[in-house]
Amino acid sequence: MNHLYVLAALIPVAFVLGWWASRQIGVRRSGAEVSELSSDYFRGLNYLLNEEQDKAIEVFLKLAEYNRDTVETHLALGNLFRRRGEVDRAIRLHQHLVSRPGLTDAMKTVALLELGEDYMRAGLLDRAEALFSDLVAMDAHAPSALRHLIAIYQHERDWHKAIEHARRLEVMTGEDEAPMIAQFYCELADRSRQHGARAEARDYLRQAFECQPDCVRAFMLTGRLLSEDGQHAEAVTAYEAAINADIAFTPDILPPLLNSYARSQQMERAEGFLRDMLGRYHGVSPVLALTHLYRQRDGERAAVDFLTAQLRLRPSVRGLMALIDATMDKIEGEARENFLILRDLTRKLLEGQAMYRCSRCGFGAKAHHWQCPSCKNWSTIRPIHGVASE
Amino acid sequence: MRPLAIVILVIFVAAGLVLGALNADLVDYDLAFARMQLPKGAALLGAMVIGWLLGGLTAWVGVSMRQRRQRRQLRADQKSPLAP
Ligand SMILES: [Zn+2]
């Protein structure tokens, strides 16, 4: 009888073995499916990296149809559409994603954020604004949504709302947005100044200083307001403070400062300040200003001597041009012709130069902008220092 | 099939033949609904095969039911706006 016990023990053992063997076969088959999917994925990725975006989109579309977890793929696809400028397709895709049932809240808000970016890209700023405001109200991805909102208000030049949202962003992230808010107040102040509301402009400037006590732009605007009001001595103080706050802006500040020195008849103070600047600033602007000052006070000879001595220390095309202009009168004959050619050459050299460059994105400009037109950062555009420019 | 698997299969078939020849004596079995006489070796082999098949069937039914459920959900999800 005991072989019956052996039989009874054998059946469960065989059962387990059969079950295990069947599972192994199943795993191998679904493994083949997974590897097919991931090979599709890598193919799509490869197309993407090779800038063959049409083919990449085809592959990802196919992938999105077969894969159950398509949300990530949809998001990547929507991004791709937007990047390609096919904003209407991106919008349709993200709208579909948002309306899809059974999506987790986290995924839905990501899709909403993307949809808002689509709207911004398509120029539908009012829709984007409504969407981002909703996201902020829901407290979902609020920092990103706030940043987008601030960008929208900057674009619409609605500085009050920009300030309000920048302050909320500050509270939310703990990051210091004060320099940006100070710029918004400066925009407000400049607008008030242009409309003749001088008291209002002064009030905005006071708030700008509260945000950022060493805001160059606020100092410059203060100087401008004061000199327009005829208070040139006070304007001199403001302009000097502007240079002390950020010496890189000297080429922009010096012309109005020199004007205010002249109007308030403080040429002694001007010489002292410019002499002091020579030590800490390596551009040519203060040299040219001092040359002008010496020409008026001590005559041509002293001015040219000073200029040549300084040009040896800091060679610069602008300085050279000033030197050529100064010595032009004394030269006659053939040498004069050569000097004329040289002067034209230096003038051409300076004409093609970008005088300002964004320190973030490298955008080059001939005029100064407080907000970079390319990367939209504030006060990143600065005068270029080099032989040909400053 | 790989050569190793063939070798193992041959060994097991041989072992089955030898065991069957050694345990050829008939034994009475009472399976409650039927009575039968089987050689000991055949009973051993039959128990193995039945256990194996039952185990495989159970696993297969489980997997295919899960896949059918997934496929149904997938179809519900797919009302794609992606067509250009
Ligand atoms: Zn830039």
Side-chain angles (χ1 to χ4, degrees), chain A residues 321 324-325 327-329 331-348:
Chain A
M321 206 160 96
I324 294 170
D325 282 340
T327 44
M328 206 68 181
D329 303 334
I331 302 165
E332 276 161 20
E334 202 177 320
R336 192 183 164 83
E337 290 299 310
N338 292 342
F339 253 71
L340 276 172
I341 293 169
L342 199 57
R343 190 171 71 172
D344 285 348
L345 189 80
T346 46
R347 190 158 292 148
K348 287 235 169 66

Side-chain angles (χ1 to χ4, degrees), chain A residues 358-363 372-377 380-381:
Chain A
C358 174
S359 57
R360 284 285 169 83
C361 67
F363 179 85
C372 174
S374 174
C375 67
K376 309 288 178 200
N377 277 301
T380 52
I381 292 196

Side-chain angles (χ1 to χ4, degrees), chain A residues 39-291:
Chain A
S39 82
D40 269 348
Y41 173 74
F42 281 115
R43 202 149 53 86
L45 206 60
N46 199 19
Y47 283 137
L48 204 59
L49 291 177
N50 290 333
E51 301 282 320
E52 294 184 72
Q53 293 177 339
D54 288 328
K55 288 179 182 169
I57 286 173
E58 288 297 313
V59 171
F60 281 133
L61 270 173
K62 195 177 139 212
L63 208 60
E65 273 169 30
Y66 290 115
N67 197 346
R68 178 164 147 25
D69 305 311
T70 50
V71 182
E72 304 277 352
T73 324
H74 274 74
L75 287 174
L77 207 56
N79 240 324
L80 207 59
F81 284 145
R82 188 171 60 231
R83 208 74 69 70
R84 268 172 61 101
E86 296 183 52
V87 187
D88 49 337
R89 277 178 100 178
I91 288 177
R92 252 190 303 158
L93 197 145
H94 286 133
Q95 276 174 342
H96 158 76
L97 210 55
V98 170
S99 66
R100 196 165 122 168
L103 204 67
T104 60
D105 280 351
M107 279 298 173
K108 193 165 275 185
T109 51
V110 171
L112 279 172
L113 197 68
E114 296 281 334
L115 188 59
E117 280 185 45
D118 295 341
Y119 285 147
M120 271 184 84
R121 183 71 186 271
L124 304 167
L125 291 185
D126 46 343
R127 284 202 209 175
E129 185 188 335
L131 221 156
F132 288 133
S133 300
D134 285 351
L135 279 173
V136 172
M138 286 192 298
D139 199 20
H141 306 283
S144 307
L146 274 176
R147 282 197 188 93
H148 286 306
L149 276 176
I150 293 169
I152 290 173
Y153 294 135
Q154 282 177 35
H155 187 84
E156 292 173 343
R157 306 183 72 75
D158 187 342
W159 305 114
H160 287 292
K161 278 191 176 167
I163 290 168
E164 181 198 326
H165 285 80
R167 289 211 191 281
R168 284 177 73 177
L169 182 65
E170 233 176 5
V171 171
M172 204 165 285
T173 60
E175 283 166 24
D176 185 23
E177 305 290 350
M180 188 170 78
I181 298 174
Q183 290 289 334
F184 295 161
Y185 277 120
C186 287
E187 288 284 345
L188 283 170
D190 203 23
R191 192 160 66 188
S192 301
R193 186 189 64 78
Q194 281 164 14
H195 293 164
R198 314 193 78 77
E200 199 180 77
R202 266 191 286 274
D203 192 52
Y204 285 134
L205 285 175
R206 185 184 51 74
Q207 295 187 67
F209 281 125
E210 269 171 27
C211 290
Q212 194 192 4
D214 61 342
C215 178
V216 186
R217 189 181 183 187
F219 279 124
M220 285 167 75
L221 275 170
T222 309
R224 183 154 183 190
L225 266 179
L226 288 168
S227 76
E228 279 174 1
D229 287 347
Q231 297 171 282
H232 295 289
E234 288 83 355
V236 162
T237 313
Y239 283 129
E240 283 182 356
I243 286 181
N244 288 332
D246 193 342
I247 203 160
F249 285 101
T250 300
D252 291 305
I253 305 170
L254 264 188
L257 173 59
L258 291 172
N259 182 40
S260 290
Y261 278 135
R263 294 290 187 84
S264 59
Q265 287 156 348
Q266 301 188 79
M267 295 327 273
E268 296 283 311
R269 183 175 174 179
E271 193 195 347
F273 188 76
L274 290 169
R275 277 267 171 206
D276 180 48
M277 273 194 76
L278 287 181
R280 45 194 179 116
Y281 182 75
H282 300 289
V284 76
S285 292
V287 175
L288 295 181
L290 273 171
T291 309

